[in-house]
Amino acid sequence: MAEAKNHPNHEQMLRHLQRANAIAIRAQQFGHHPFGAILVAPDHETVLLEQGNVDTVNHAESVLARVAVTNFSPEYLWNCTLYTTVEPCVMCAGTQYWANIGRLVYGISEARLLELTGNHAQNPTMNIPCRYVFTHSQKAIAVWDPFAEVEAEIVAIHQDFWRTL
């Protein structure tokens, strides 16, 4: 696999996280849990795919990764970045690994989501960091995480959603 020669800058990360959050809002408007993900090309600008949450086994990140592997080569995906509003769960981190998507940027941690959802029956958060999954793998997936600049807007959506569900 080709090593990434450059990474997205902070401004690009924030902009793409905000777009992922807009996808989460759209998912919520369609009656789904408010999670959103986008896949960005190696140029750090072009959005290749975007996906909202579907259901409890078709999370935004997993669905996006499955679609990505049917459209792009593993070598190309290794230089792409997955942006998601919330840290990928174990299932989504594993799917990203198998899809060969080499970078990840997320807005809030799985632990923060657990604080917001508690033991909600529709989101039994496992609280296993994606880095744990990646460090037990054979690929060096680059991860950038929580961004204080977008935390409030992501948290607000989840607070409202899980209280009224």
Side-chain angles (χ1 to χ4, degrees):
M1 266 168 276
E3 284 298 316
K5 292 190 178 11
N6 60 33
H7 296 298
N9 65 42
H10 193 76
E11 183 275 326
Q12 290 167 319
M13 290 182 196
L14 291 177
R15 185 167 22 91
H16 292 313
L17 284 171
Q18 289 167 332
R19 182 157 180 182
N21 201 41
I23 303 303
I25 293 167
R26 186 178 71 202
Q28 181 182 7
Q29 291 169 341
F30 286 112
H32 304 292
H33 295 172
F35 299 95
I38 65 172
L39 182 67
V40 176
D43 69 2
H44 309 301
E45 291 296 332
T46 307
V47 175
L48 301 169
L49 298 168
E50 49 186 46
Q51 181 65 53
N53 215 59
V54 178
D55 56 37
T56 57
V57 295
N58 290 292
H59 296 178
E61 303 90 343
S62 289
V63 172
L64 183 144
R66 287 185 203 108
V67 171
V69 299
T70 65
N71 289 283
F72 305 103
S73 72
E75 295 78 19
Y76 183 77
L77 287 172
W78 184 248
N79 292 298
C80 291
T81 307
L82 172 63
Y83 288 85
T84 183
T85 52
V86 178
E87 178 179 9
C89 70
V90 172
M91 174 180 67
C92 293
T95 306
Q96 178 178 351
Y97 170 81
W98 288 110
N100 208 49
I101 299 170
R103 297 185 187 105
L104 170 67
V105 178
Y106 63 86
I108 67 169
S109 70
E110 184 85 347
R112 182 70 172 112
L113 179 65
L114 181 59
E115 291 172 11
L116 298 168
T117 63
N119 65 350
H120 199 288
Q122 289 196 31
N123 195 53
T125 301
M126 296 177 81
N127 195 22
I128 299 172
C130 66
R131 279 191 170 90
Y132 178 85
V133 175
F134 297 148
T135 59
H136 289 84
S137 74
Q138 297 182 42
K139 300 174 186 175
I141 295 173
V143 180
W144 292 269
D145 58 354
F147 284 81
E149 299 95 331
V150 295
E151 180 179 3
E153 58 193 87
I154 294 170
V155 166
I157 295 164
H158 284 276
Q159 284 175 324
D160 292 344
F161 182 82
W162 298 106
R163 273 194 294 237
T164 59
L165 186 63

